[in-house]
């Protein structure tokens, strides 16, 4: 298993050992302010030839040979695409033949270290693109890996205790529509022609992306809109887009396939219902948001966000299948990705310093 870390490395986890296989920047890498120089690997997918395709928030798209320790830059963030450079490269998904890479650029204004400002600003400057190259495997947000071998049990992760009513049609009684987030896009990169296309623009915090099993559409999470959109890349609907699911009970991060043919969605932050959602409240009061960020740092504001962790499994049509909960964030707070492998879920967080593993037989 491979993952990116907060200090800019790609590491391999095997038999309880942690080994660095690549680094895109240079240190010191101790604070968020160091990220532009150090790099911050986010999305990772495995390609058909045993290489890894990596989206680095600051540097761009890379192909990494973890066995030879070789790194190849595919697309630099400094490359203008339709007049704009990439500011916050986030996630990617790759076709089985490795020809095309679909990836998100979360903002045209903010970088990853300013993600909370992006979350709060409420603009639509996000893009989704496609770059043709190869697929990804991995988990976003696993930082220190010395606890990997110790995280085999997940005793406090609860099932079915959501405050939202989840039915086959989605969460009931929730008509709120948040509108945070600097918009950007979904893009496509062709690894043979090296051509980059903007597929969807003016998205609000485009985040996780996932190709369908038939590779006929791409799902993209619009985090600050609490919804997932679907863009068709082949077939009769090619070039069209629609809503896959909306009004989610939390703000979606990465999307990954589930063993049942559906999708796992990590929710780093929830929207309580019934209850009071700070983020929904602020979404309609920009003057309060401005005042908060003049008075407090991003770290201070994050302390006000509930540590409630939520994982959803959606069907292939977007219907709710089940939910997993850690109401107090005691085991896994701020979950950003869920990866299913051999009867277990591997849970990554963009803030926690470890990776968790949950046996699906226990839920």
């Amino acid at each position: 298993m491979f993952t990116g870390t907060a200090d800019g490395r790609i590491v391999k986890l095997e038999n309880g050992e942690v080994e660095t296989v690549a680094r895109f920047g240079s240190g010191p890498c101790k604070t968020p302010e160091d990220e532009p120089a150090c790099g911050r690997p986010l999305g990772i997918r495995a390609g058909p030839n045993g290489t890894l395709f990596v989206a680095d928030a600051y540097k761009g798209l890379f192909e990494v040979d973890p066995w030879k320790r070789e790194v190849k830059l595919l697309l630099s963030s400094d490359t203008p695409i339709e007049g704009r450079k990439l500011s916050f490269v986030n996630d990617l998904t790759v076709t089985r033949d490795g020809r095309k890479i679909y990836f998100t650029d979360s903002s045209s204004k903010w970088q990853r270290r300013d993600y909370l400002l992006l979350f709060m600003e409420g603009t639509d400057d996000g893009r989704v693109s496609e770059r043709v190259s190869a697929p990804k495997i991995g988990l976003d947000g696993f930082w220190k890996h010395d606890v990997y071998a110790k995280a085999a049990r997940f005793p406090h992760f609860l099932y079915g205790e959501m405050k939202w009513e989840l039915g086959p049609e989605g969460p009931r009684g929730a008509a709120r529509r948040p509108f945070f987030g600097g918009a950007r896009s979904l893009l496509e990169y062709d690894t043979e022609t090296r051509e980059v296309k903007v597929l969807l623009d003016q998205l609000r915090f485009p985040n996780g992306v996932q190709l369908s099993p038939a590779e006929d559409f791409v799902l993209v999470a619009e985090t600050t809109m609490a919804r997932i959109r679907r863009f068709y890349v082949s077939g009769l609907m090619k070039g069209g887009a629609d809503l896959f699911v909306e009004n989610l009970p939390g703000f979606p991060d990465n999307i990954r396939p589930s063993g049942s043919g559906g999708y796992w969605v990590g929710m780093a932050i929830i929207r309580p219902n019934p209850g009071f959602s700070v983020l929904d409240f602020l979404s309609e009061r920009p003057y309060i948001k401005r005042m908060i960020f003049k008075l407090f740092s991003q770290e201070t504001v994050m302390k006000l966000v509930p540590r409630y962790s939520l994982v959803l499994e959606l069907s292939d049509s977007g219907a709710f299948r089940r939910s997993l909960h850690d109401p107090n964030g005691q085991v896994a707070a701020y979950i950003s990705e869920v990866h299913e492998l051999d009867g277990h879920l591997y849970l990554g967080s963009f803030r926690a310093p470890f990776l968790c593993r949950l046996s699906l037989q226990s839920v």
Side-chain angles (χ1 to χ4, degrees):
M1 184 174 292
F2 298 89
T3 186
T5 64
D7 58 1
R9 296 178 297 148
I10 301 294
V11 298
K12 179 176 71 172
L13 308 175
E14 186 175 17
N15 298 324
E17 299 294 327
V18 181
E19 182 180 358
T20 300
V21 299
R23 184 188 290 272
F24 302 140
S26 58
C29 306
K30 297 180 179 179
T31 71
E33 297 306 311
D34 298 324
E35 287 188 359
C38 297
R40 181 64 172 93
L42 296 177
I44 306 174
R45 303 276 182 167
N49 300 317
T51 59
L52 303 175
F53 290 88
V54 183
D56 185 284
Y58 300 90
K59 307 295 186 180
L61 299 181
F62 291 85
E63 183 175 8
V64 175
D65 187 328
W67 319 112
K68 297 181 180 179
R69 307 293 193 270
E70 294 176 350
V71 174
K72 177 183 178 182
L73 176 63
L74 299 177
L75 179 65
S76 170
S77 292
D78 292 329
T79 303
I81 300 171
E82 296 190 1
R84 291 187 293 178
K85 295 182 180 180
L86 302 172
S87 181
F88 185 170
V89 182
N90 198 322
D91 194 22
L92 52 76
T93 185
V94 186
T95 54
R96 280 185 290 272
D97 63 4
R99 173 72 189 271
K100 292 187 177 182
I101 297 175
Y102 300 92
F103 68 99
T104 48
D105 181 24
S106 293
S107 176
S108 60
K109 177 180 180 180
W110 302 107
Q111 294 183 311
R112 199 217 74 90
R113 57 181 171 168
D114 302 312
Y115 69 89
L116 200 53
L117 298 176
L118 165 61
F119 201 98
M120 290 291 190
E121 188 175 54
T123 58
D124 56 353
D125 63 343
R127 299 190 296 184
V128 179
S129 308
E130 161 195 324
R131 165 154 193 170
V132 182
S133 193
K136 147 187 177 177
I137 190 172
L139 302 165
D140 164 29
F142 305 156
W143 298 349
K144 297 178 184 176
H145 307 286
D146 52 335
V147 298
Y148 170 71
K150 303 176 184 178
R153 294 192 302 270
F154 206 69
H156 302 295
F157 213 71
L158 306 181
Y159 171 79
E161 295 184 5
M162 239 176 142
K163 292 183 179 179
W164 289 60
E165 272 189 74
L166 295 181
E169 305 299 322
R172 300 179 194 141
R176 297 171 296 167
R177 292 189 176 224
F179 49 92
F180 298 100
R184 198 53 166 153
S185 28
L186 170 69
L187 307 110
E188 170 192 300
Y189 172 78
D190 188 310
T191 53
E192 292 187 5
T193 66
R194 303 185 66 82
E195 181 184 8
V196 183
K197 299 178 183 177
V198 176
L199 303 181
L200 285 175
D201 211 344
Q202 300 303 303
L203 300 175
R204 296 182 184 272
F205 203 156
N207 200 329
V209 287
Q210 178 60 50
L211 266 168
S212 68
E215 298 190 345
D216 57 339
F217 62 80
V218 177
L219 298 178
V220 54
E222 276 191 285
T223 296
T224 51
M225 291 299 290
R227 69 188 181 191
I228 297 174
R229 297 185 69 178
R230 173 170 48 191
F231 181 85
Y232 295 89
V233 295
S234 67
L236 295 176
M237 296 286 289
K238 183 176 181 180
D242 59 16
L243 281 177
F244 185 69
V245 63
E246 64 177 335
N247 201 24
L248 289 164
F251 297 99
D253 201 320
N254 287 331
I255 309 167
R256 293 297 183 264
S258 72
S260 62
Y263 304 95
W264 292 107
V265 182
M267 302 256 177
I269 302 173
I270 66 161
R271 303 167 64 210
N273 186 28
F276 176 71
S277 170
V278 174
L279 297 178
D280 281 340
F281 174 80
L282 291 176
S283 70
E284 301 176 1
R285 297 164 176 83
Y287 59 95
I288 297 181
K289 289 189 288 184
R290 288 193 294 268
M291 181 176 63
I292 287 174
F293 280 100
K294 285 181 179 179
L295 297 175
F296 304 105
S297 68
Q298 291 189 65
E299 281 299 314
T300 300
V301 174
M302 276 302 298
K303 292 178 181 179
L304 303 177
V305 177
R307 291 170 57 87
Y308 196 121
S309 292
L310 172 63
V311 171
L312 295 183
E313 184 181 14
L314 304 178
S315 73
D316 58 357
S317 63
F320 287 78
R321 279 191 169 154
R322 57 175 162 174
S323 57
L324 306 174
H325 305 250
D326 185 359
N328 299 311
Q330 294 180 354
V331 177
Y334 308 113
I335 291 176
S336 56
E337 181 166 330
V338 184
H339 186 83
E340 183 176 344
L341 179 67
D342 297 335
H344 291 83
L345 295 184
Y346 292 85
L347 307 167
S349 166
F350 70 94
R351 288 178 66 85
F354 53 81
L355 160 67
C356 290
R357 186 174 70 177
L358 170 67
S359 171
L360 286 172
Q361 292 183 349
S362 67
V363 295

